[in-house]
Amino acid sequence: MEILALILTMLVGIEHLGIMGLEMFASPAKQAKAFGLSEEYVGQKEARVSFANQGIYNGMLGLSMIISYWLFSGTVLIKVWLLLLSFVIVVAFYGGLTVGKKVWAMQMLPAVLAAVCWVLV
């Protein structure tokens, strides 16, 4: 169970680094496709700035999950991961309500599965 929890947690971290890449560095066309928005909207300066700000948060969250592996150990590490996974779950729940239920499957479900695995360890 512990190895599954570790793999799922790392996948959630990597996913958030990928989201950061899309939000901060992808072209408006790729962002529009990935997030189900119009290219016209995504190309606006204000939207680009907003995406970049969201991206840095997602990136730092993902990086925190991954780096935690080397910074903490034992029960402290599990508590840190449960805290970070809880952030993802809450934000993804809200995103599913406001953006679309796809967010629940893509972001919330992996985080919930990882958190459940850690609780069962």
mmCIF file of all heavy atoms in Angstrom, residues 35-58:
data_model
loop_
_atom_site.group_PDB
_atom_site.id
_atom_site.type_symbol
_atom_site.label_atom_id
_atom_site.label_comp_id
_atom_site.label_asym_id
_atom_site.label_seq_id
_atom_site.Cartn_x
_atom_site.Cartn_y
_atom_site.Cartn_z
ATOM 1 N N PHE A 35 -7.886 23.753 -21.487
ATOM 2 C CA PHE A 35 -8.794 24.235 -20.450
ATOM 3 C C PHE A 35 -10.209 24.521 -20.958
ATOM 4 O O PHE A 35 -11.043 25.028 -20.210
ATOM 5 C CB PHE A 35 -8.201 25.472 -19.766
ATOM 6 C CG PHE A 35 -6.883 25.191 -19.096
ATOM 7 C CD1 PHE A 35 -5.710 25.718 -19.603
ATOM 8 C CD2 PHE A 35 -6.803 24.371 -17.987
ATOM 9 C CE1 PHE A 35 -4.486 25.451 -19.001
ATOM 10 C CE2 PHE A 35 -5.597 24.093 -17.377
ATOM 11 C CZ PHE A 35 -4.428 24.643 -17.885
ATOM 12 N N GLY A 36 -10.474 24.194 -22.206
ATOM 13 C CA GLY A 36 -11.820 24.365 -22.743
ATOM 14 C C GLY A 36 -12.267 25.816 -22.824
ATOM 15 O O GLY A 36 -13.418 26.138 -22.548
ATOM 16 N N LEU A 37 -11.351 26.679 -23.202
ATOM 17 C CA LEU A 37 -11.643 28.106 -23.311
ATOM 18 C C LEU A 37 -11.415 28.558 -24.747
ATOM 19 O O LEU A 37 -10.747 27.873 -25.520
ATOM 20 C CB LEU A 37 -10.732 28.905 -22.367
ATOM 21 C CG LEU A 37 -10.862 28.572 -20.884
ATOM 22 C CD1 LEU A 37 -9.714 29.169 -20.103
ATOM 23 C CD2 LEU A 37 -12.193 29.060 -20.346
ATOM 24 N N SER A 38 -11.930 29.721 -25.076
ATOM 25 C CA SER A 38 -11.701 30.238 -26.425
ATOM 26 C C SER A 38 -10.278 30.777 -26.527
ATOM 27 O O SER A 38 -9.719 31.300 -25.559
ATOM 28 C CB SER A 38 -12.703 31.344 -26.761
ATOM 29 O OG SER A 38 -12.396 32.520 -26.059
ATOM 30 N N GLU A 39 -9.718 30.633 -27.704
ATOM 31 C CA GLU A 39 -8.369 31.144 -27.932
ATOM 32 C C GLU A 39 -8.347 32.666 -27.817
ATOM 33 O O GLU A 39 -7.349 33.249 -27.367
ATOM 34 C CB GLU A 39 -7.872 30.699 -29.310
ATOM 35 C CG GLU A 39 -6.384 30.777 -29.450
ATOM 36 C CD GLU A 39 -5.871 30.130 -30.718
ATOM 37 O OE1 GLU A 39 -6.491 29.168 -31.218
ATOM 38 O OE2 GLU A 39 -4.831 30.591 -31.211
ATOM 39 N N GLU A 40 -9.441 33.287 -28.184
ATOM 40 C CA GLU A 40 -9.545 34.747 -28.070
ATOM 41 C C GLU A 40 -9.410 35.179 -26.607
ATOM 42 O O GLU A 40 -8.668 36.106 -26.284
ATOM 43 C CB GLU A 40 -10.882 35.228 -28.636
ATOM 44 C CG GLU A 40 -11.089 36.717 -28.532
ATOM 45 C CD GLU A 40 -12.465 37.147 -29.026
ATOM 46 O OE1 GLU A 40 -13.211 36.313 -29.562
ATOM 47 O OE2 GLU A 40 -12.784 38.327 -28.853
ATOM 48 N N TYR A 41 -10.117 34.484 -25.721
ATOM 49 C CA TYR A 41 -10.043 34.817 -24.295
ATOM 50 C C TYR A 41 -8.633 34.568 -23.753
ATOM 51 O O TYR A 41 -8.056 35.411 -23.084
ATOM 52 C CB TYR A 41 -11.056 34.001 -23.487
ATOM 53 C CG TYR A 41 -10.853 34.138 -22.001
ATOM 54 C CD1 TYR A 41 -11.227 35.298 -21.332
ATOM 55 C CD2 TYR A 41 -10.224 33.133 -21.263
ATOM 56 C CE1 TYR A 41 -11.011 35.451 -19.973
ATOM 57 C CE2 TYR A 41 -9.992 33.274 -19.910
ATOM 58 C CZ TYR A 41 -10.386 34.434 -19.266
ATOM 59 O OH TYR A 41 -10.150 34.583 -17.933
ATOM 60 N N VAL A 42 -8.088 33.402 -24.042
ATOM 61 C CA VAL A 42 -6.785 33.015 -23.500
ATOM 62 C C VAL A 42 -5.680 33.926 -24.022
ATOM 63 O O VAL A 42 -4.670 34.130 -23.348
ATOM 64 C CB VAL A 42 -6.496 31.529 -23.818
ATOM 65 C CG1 VAL A 42 -5.117 31.127 -23.375
ATOM 66 C CG2 VAL A 42 -7.536 30.644 -23.155
ATOM 67 N N GLY A 43 -5.864 34.506 -25.182
ATOM 68 C CA GLY A 43 -4.851 35.386 -25.751
ATOM 69 C C GLY A 43 -4.812 36.775 -25.143
ATOM 70 O O GLY A 43 -3.852 37.520 -25.367
ATOM 71 N N GLN A 44 -5.811 37.127 -24.359
ATOM 72 C CA GLN A 44 -5.830 38.451 -23.733
ATOM 73 C C GLN A 44 -4.727 38.570 -22.679
ATOM 74 O O GLN A 44 -4.423 37.612 -21.976
ATOM 75 C CB GLN A 44 -7.176 38.699 -23.046
ATOM 76 C CG GLN A 44 -8.348 38.744 -23.989
ATOM 77 C CD GLN A 44 -9.639 38.915 -23.221
ATOM 78 O OE1 GLN A 44 -9.737 39.742 -22.322
ATOM 79 N NE2 GLN A 44 -10.629 38.111 -23.579
ATOM 80 N N LYS A 45 -4.152 39.743 -22.582
ATOM 81 C CA LYS A 45 -3.055 39.958 -21.636
ATOM 82 C C LYS A 45 -3.473 39.618 -20.211
ATOM 83 O O LYS A 45 -2.728 38.952 -19.480
ATOM 84 C CB LYS A 45 -2.569 41.401 -21.703
ATOM 85 C CG LYS A 45 -1.405 41.648 -20.761
ATOM 86 C CD LYS A 45 -0.938 43.083 -20.761
ATOM 87 C CE LYS A 45 0.232 43.201 -19.803
ATOM 88 N NZ LYS A 45 0.410 44.499 -19.254
ATOM 89 N N GLU A 46 -4.660 40.042 -19.809
ATOM 90 C CA GLU A 46 -5.130 39.787 -18.446
ATOM 91 C C GLU A 46 -5.269 38.293 -18.177
ATOM 92 O O GLU A 46 -4.927 37.805 -17.094
ATOM 93 C CB GLU A 46 -6.466 40.492 -18.188
ATOM 94 C CG GLU A 46 -6.384 42.004 -18.192
ATOM 95 C CD GLU A 46 -6.476 42.610 -19.603
ATOM 96 O OE1 GLU A 46 -6.606 41.860 -20.596
ATOM 97 O OE2 GLU A 46 -6.417 43.847 -19.697
ATOM 98 N N ALA A 47 -5.773 37.556 -19.148
ATOM 99 C CA ALA A 47 -5.914 36.107 -18.994
ATOM 100 C C ALA A 47 -4.540 35.444 -18.911
ATOM 101 O O ALA A 47 -4.333 34.515 -18.123
ATOM 102 C CB ALA A 47 -6.723 35.520 -20.141
ATOM 103 N N ARG A 48 -3.591 35.908 -19.707
ATOM 104 C CA ARG A 48 -2.232 35.343 -19.694
ATOM 105 C C ARG A 48 -1.586 35.549 -18.313
ATOM 106 O O ARG A 48 -0.936 34.656 -17.780
ATOM 107 C CB ARG A 48 -1.359 35.978 -20.776
ATOM 108 C CG ARG A 48 -1.942 35.967 -22.152
ATOM 109 C CD ARG A 48 -1.613 34.889 -23.122
ATOM 110 N NE ARG A 48 -0.270 34.399 -23.127
ATOM 111 C CZ ARG A 48 -0.001 33.087 -23.205
ATOM 112 N NH1 ARG A 48 -0.966 32.203 -23.269
ATOM 113 N NH2 ARG A 48 1.236 32.678 -23.240
ATOM 114 N N VAL A 49 -1.773 36.746 -17.754
ATOM 115 C CA VAL A 49 -1.227 37.033 -16.430
ATOM 116 C C VAL A 49 -1.904 36.155 -15.381
ATOM 117 O O VAL A 49 -1.243 35.592 -14.494
ATOM 118 C CB VAL A 49 -1.382 38.535 -16.089
ATOM 119 C CG1 VAL A 49 -1.052 38.806 -14.630
ATOM 120 C CG2 VAL A 49 -0.504 39.388 -17.001
ATOM 121 N N SER A 50 -3.215 36.009 -15.494
ATOM 122 C CA SER A 50 -3.955 35.168 -14.556
ATOM 123 C C SER A 50 -3.486 33.711 -14.639
ATOM 124 O O SER A 50 -3.269 33.059 -13.610
ATOM 125 C CB SER A 50 -5.446 35.259 -14.846
ATOM 126 O OG SER A 50 -6.166 34.456 -13.948
ATOM 127 N N PHE A 51 -3.320 33.201 -15.851
ATOM 128 C CA PHE A 51 -2.822 31.842 -16.031
ATOM 129 C C PHE A 51 -1.429 31.686 -15.427
ATOM 130 O O PHE A 51 -1.134 30.673 -14.779
ATOM 131 C CB PHE A 51 -2.757 31.469 -17.519
ATOM 132 C CG PHE A 51 -3.991 30.776 -18.019
ATOM 133 C CD1 PHE A 51 -4.748 31.343 -19.028
ATOM 134 C CD2 PHE A 51 -4.390 29.554 -17.499
ATOM 135 C CE1 PHE A 51 -5.880 30.711 -19.509
ATOM 136 C CE2 PHE A 51 -5.517 28.908 -17.974
ATOM 137 C CZ PHE A 51 -6.265 29.488 -18.979
ATOM 138 N N ALA A 52 -0.573 32.651 -15.629
ATOM 139 C CA ALA A 52 0.786 32.567 -15.083
ATOM 140 C C ALA A 52 0.763 32.536 -13.556
ATOM 141 O O ALA A 52 1.513 31.786 -12.930
ATOM 142 C CB ALA A 52 1.627 33.733 -15.586
ATOM 143 N N ASN A 53 -0.109 33.340 -12.958
ATOM 144 C CA ASN A 53 -0.230 33.343 -11.498
ATOM 145 C C ASN A 53 -0.746 32.006 -10.984
ATOM 146 O O ASN A 53 -0.238 31.473 -10.000
ATOM 147 C CB ASN A 53 -1.132 34.483 -11.027
ATOM 148 C CG ASN A 53 -0.389 35.797 -10.980
ATOM 149 O OD1 ASN A 53 0.568 35.935 -10.235
ATOM 150 N ND2 ASN A 53 -0.805 36.741 -11.792
ATOM 151 N N GLN A 54 -1.745 31.451 -11.643
ATOM 152 C CA GLN A 54 -2.249 30.124 -11.268
ATOM 153 C C GLN A 54 -1.147 29.084 -11.450
ATOM 154 O O GLN A 54 -1.012 28.156 -10.653
ATOM 155 C CB GLN A 54 -3.451 29.740 -12.128
ATOM 156 C CG GLN A 54 -4.716 30.452 -11.784
ATOM 157 C CD GLN A 54 -5.845 30.061 -12.710
ATOM 158 O OE1 GLN A 54 -6.637 30.899 -13.060
ATOM 159 N NE2 GLN A 54 -5.939 28.822 -13.116
ATOM 160 N N GLY A 55 -0.394 29.242 -12.511
ATOM 161 C CA GLY A 55 0.658 28.292 -12.826
ATOM 162 C C GLY A 55 1.731 28.216 -11.756
ATOM 163 O O GLY A 55 2.187 27.120 -11.403
ATOM 164 N N ILE A 56 2.132 29.352 -11.237
ATOM 165 C CA ILE A 56 3.182 29.330 -10.215
ATOM 166 C C ILE A 56 2.685 28.634 -8.954
ATOM 167 O O ILE A 56 3.419 27.896 -8.304
ATOM 168 C CB ILE A 56 3.752 30.739 -9.937
ATOM 169 C CG1 ILE A 56 5.099 30.652 -9.233
ATOM 170 C CG2 ILE A 56 2.795 31.597 -9.167
ATOM 171 C CD1 ILE A 56 6.218 30.154 -10.085
ATOM 172 N N TYR A 57 1.413 28.825 -8.623
ATOM 173 C CA TYR A 57 0.848 28.124 -7.467
ATOM 174 C C TYR A 57 0.845 26.614 -7.705
ATOM 175 O O TYR A 57 1.242 25.837 -6.842
ATOM 176 C CB TYR A 57 -0.585 28.593 -7.172
ATOM 177 C CG TYR A 57 -0.640 29.890 -6.420
ATOM 178 C CD1 TYR A 57 -0.915 31.085 -7.073
ATOM 179 C CD2 TYR A 57 -0.426 29.932 -5.042
ATOM 180 C CE1 TYR A 57 -0.979 32.278 -6.379
ATOM 181 C CE2 TYR A 57 -0.478 31.122 -4.340
ATOM 182 C CZ TYR A 57 -0.757 32.296 -5.015
ATOM 183 O OH TYR A 57 -0.812 33.473 -4.327
ATOM 184 N N ASN A 58 0.375 26.186 -8.875
ATOM 185 C CA ASN A 58 0.353 24.760 -9.188
ATOM 186 C C ASN A 58 1.759 24.177 -9.196
ATOM 187 O O ASN A 58 1.987 23.072 -8.706
ATOM 188 C CB ASN A 58 -0.340 24.506 -10.528
ATOM 189 C CG ASN A 58 -1.842 24.450 -10.380
ATOM 190 O OD1 ASN A 58 -2.362 23.671 -9.597
ATOM 191 N ND2 ASN A 58 -2.545 25.283 -11.124
#
